[in-house]
């Protein structure tokens, strides 16, 4: 079983929009999914990608 954790950057509904992202360790990478639609699939990303998203520095 995967241990999903809701992102602290996700809104909680209302004015936050309820934009819920969950992450879970996946070997040396991380699985990311939409907690409102968990059966829609996951994206596997690196820790560096997650850090860039958190920092707002993801290059185009």
């Amino acid at each position: 079983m995967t241990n999903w954790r809701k992102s602290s950057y996700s809104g909680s509904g209302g004015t936050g929009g309820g934009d819920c992202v969950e992450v879970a360790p996946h070997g040396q990478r991380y699985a990311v999914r939409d907690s409102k639609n968990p059966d829609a699939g996951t994206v596997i990303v690196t820790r560096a990608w997650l850090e860039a998203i958190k920092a707002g520095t993801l290059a185009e």
Side-chain angles (χ1 to χ4, degrees):
M1 179 173 171
T2 303
N3 293 320
W4 291 100
R5 183 178 64 85
K6 184 176 175 182
S7 170
S8 62
Y9 288 85
S10 293
S12 60
T15 58
D19 299 327
C20 304
V21 174
E22 293 178 316
V23 289
H26 185 72
Q28 295 296 314
R29 299 179 186 272
Y30 292 85
V32 180
R33 72 178 182 183
D34 179 352
S35 66
K36 295 180 307 301
N37 192 4
D39 295 327
T42 60
V43 176
I44 306 299
V45 299
T46 64
R47 181 169 187 86
W49 187 88
L50 286 176
E51 294 297 328
I53 291 293
K54 287 171 51 177
T57 58
L58 188 63
E60 292 183 24

